[in-house]
Amino acid sequence: MIAIVGKLIARRLVTAVPILLAVSVLLFCVLRALPVDPAAMSLPPSATLEEIEVKRHEMGLDRPLPEQYVIWLVDALHGDFGRSIQFRRDSGSLVATTLPATIQLAVAAMVIAAILGIGGGLLMFRVRGTVLEPLTDLVSILLLSIPEFLWGLILLFVFGVMLHLLPFTGQVAPDLPAPRITGFLLIDSLLSGRLDIFLSACQHLILPAVALGLAFSPTIMRVLRSSLFDVYHEDYIQQARLRGLSEGHILLKHAFKNASLPTLTLAGVQFGILFSGTLLVEVIYSYPGMGNLMVDAVRDADLPLIQAIGLTYCIVVLVINTVVDSLYVVLNPKLRVR
């Protein structure tokens, strides 16, 4: 099994190279087509035309576009993604600082989406043919029709503004110092023995994570229910009934195991989408993640930073898909063929 998973990862690494190259070329060309002059933006408003031209020469913007791309690519392979125009810092270091917060939010949201999606899918299947079936269908459609940013606004207004139950800005209380060991605040607070920081970070994480989880859970619900319908036509389900097993036992111990495989694939795709979808939620809750950084970069036309963030999103999605495919191979014996 380890050898099969290793071969899968090796194949994904090989295919990831052209994908990343294609994304980098697309990002580079599209951003260079914008009516924005990075040289002028990196200088004070009082800069003269001569100073702007000198800056353009320093940044290599007076060279042909293919040559500019090759220079940028070589620098990126050495870890240099260019200097942020807005923050006057290395773009790679800015991304590395904010990426853990976004991963932390996305993982928490995916856990919530999985719990709600699996629980809801099992419930929807269990009440099939009863008077509760239309109600569960209506609830899943309602959840499916509300996007994550709207959930974010609703939860913020209800639990943050009206009830004052949970904080809705930032990642931790402003009077608490945020330790930096791994970059992941929840882990760092535990490593440093600061339970107060951990609890504060959890409180700040609840609303944005629930907003994302609620938006992505109904798809998991409906796919799991459909998969269970397919599984229940298999012969082993009838054999389990003939052995006198209860419907609950058949559902949880037999049907769910096989129905969860396509649901796992969907969850991996959903996680990639969810990771990209953190952008608006981070803005709503002033959450200091990569999505918020992307909004600032786009607003200020910070081309080096936009390129670094765009490539990072692509890399993370590729990693997520590789992990999900590896889990699928581990859980599905039919794929363990050399």
Side-chain angles (χ1 to χ4, degrees):
M1 184 189 302
I2 296 177
I4 298 174
V5 174
K7 289 180 181 179
L8 173 64
I9 294 175
R11 287 198 302 268
R12 285 307 178 93
L13 288 176
V14 171
T15 57
V17 174
I19 292 175
L20 288 174
L21 281 175
V23 171
S24 66
V25 170
L26 182 63
L27 272 173
F28 194 89
C29 293
V30 169
L31 292 177
R32 293 308 181 278
L34 296 176
V36 175
D37 188 354
M41 295 188 65
S42 61
L43 293 173
S46 59
T48 64
L49 292 176
E50 290 77 11
E51 291 173 334
I52 294 175
E53 287 301 320
V54 170
K55 189 65 176 179
R56 285 180 58 83
H57 180 73
E58 290 178 0
M59 299 175 68
L61 298 176
D62 56 347
R63 300 181 183 183
L65 189 61
E67 187 177 348
Q68 291 183 42
Y69 172 75
V70 171
I71 293 173
W72 175 83
L73 180 62
V74 171
D75 291 340
L77 291 175
H78 288 86
D80 182 7
F81 291 92
R83 189 174 179 81
S84 168
I85 296 172
Q86 175 190 1
F87 296 98
R88 302 293 194 271
R89 289 174 53 193
D90 178 64
S91 299
S93 66
L94 288 169
V95 172
T97 301
T98 55
L99 178 59
T102 297
I103 293 177
Q104 189 172 267
L105 173 59
V107 170
M110 196 62 218
V111 170
I112 293 173
I115 293 172
L116 294 176
I118 293 173
L122 291 173
L123 177 63
M124 291 174 68
F125 183 77
R126 195 72 176 86
V127 300
R128 69 193 186 284
T130 68
V131 293
L132 294 177
E133 185 176 8
L135 178 61
T136 57
D137 274 337
L138 179 63
V139 171
S140 67
I141 293 173
L142 178 63
L143 292 174
L144 194 62
S145 62
I146 301 178
E148 65 273 8
F149 72 88
L150 188 53
W151 276 120
L153 293 172
I154 293 171
L155 294 175
L156 184 151
F157 181 73
V158 174
F159 294 98
V161 177
M162 289 184 61
L163 301 178
H164 301 285
L165 293 177
L166 292 168
F168 53 87
T169 57
Q171 193 180 12
V172 69
D175 58 331
L176 294 175
R180 292 200 63 84
I181 302 174
T182 65
F184 295 90
L185 183 57
L186 293 178
I187 297 175
D188 293 347
S189 59
L190 291 176
L191 291 177
S192 59
R194 293 296 302 271
L195 188 60
D196 54 340
I197 298 177
F198 177 80
L199 294 175
S200 177
C202 288
Q203 290 175 341
H204 284 76
L205 190 62
I206 290 174
L207 290 182
V210 170
L212 286 166
L214 284 172
F216 286 91
S217 61
T219 307
I220 298 176
M221 292 181 193
R222 301 183 73 84
V223 169
L224 178 58
R225 184 185 65 168
S226 299
S227 299
L228 287 169
F229 275 121
D230 294 336
V231 167
Y232 259 63
H233 288 93
E234 299 291 337
D235 292 336
Y236 68 87
I237 298 296
Q238 302 303 324
Q239 293 172 1
R241 286 201 181 101
L242 292 175
R243 293 201 306 268
L245 299 179
S246 66
E247 286 297 321
H249 184 88
I250 294 172
L251 175 61
L252 297 177
K253 298 295 183 180
H254 296 277
F256 176 70
K257 180 179 178 180
N258 291 317
S260 62
L261 293 177
T263 308
L264 173 64
T265 302
L266 172 72
V269 176
Q270 288 287 94
F271 189 38
I273 300 172
L274 184 149
F275 184 82
S276 304
T278 59
L279 189 147
L280 290 177
V281 172
E282 287 185 7
V283 172
I284 291 171
Y285 289 97
S286 300
Y287 193 81
M290 202 165 61
N292 235 328
L293 185 66
M294 179 61 131
V295 172
D296 292 337
V298 171
R299 184 183 59 231
D300 297 308
D302 196 335
L303 303 190
L305 188 53
I306 294 174
Q307 289 173 184
I309 295 174
L311 272 181
T312 302
Y313 272 119
C314 181
I315 292 171
V316 171
V317 171
L318 288 173
V319 170
I320 291 170
N321 290 335
T322 301
V323 171
V324 171
D325 288 345
S326 300
L327 287 175
Y328 197 85
V329 170
V330 171
L331 296 175
N332 191 351
K334 296 179 181 179
L335 298 179
R336 300 173 199 166
V337 180
R338 294 183 181 276

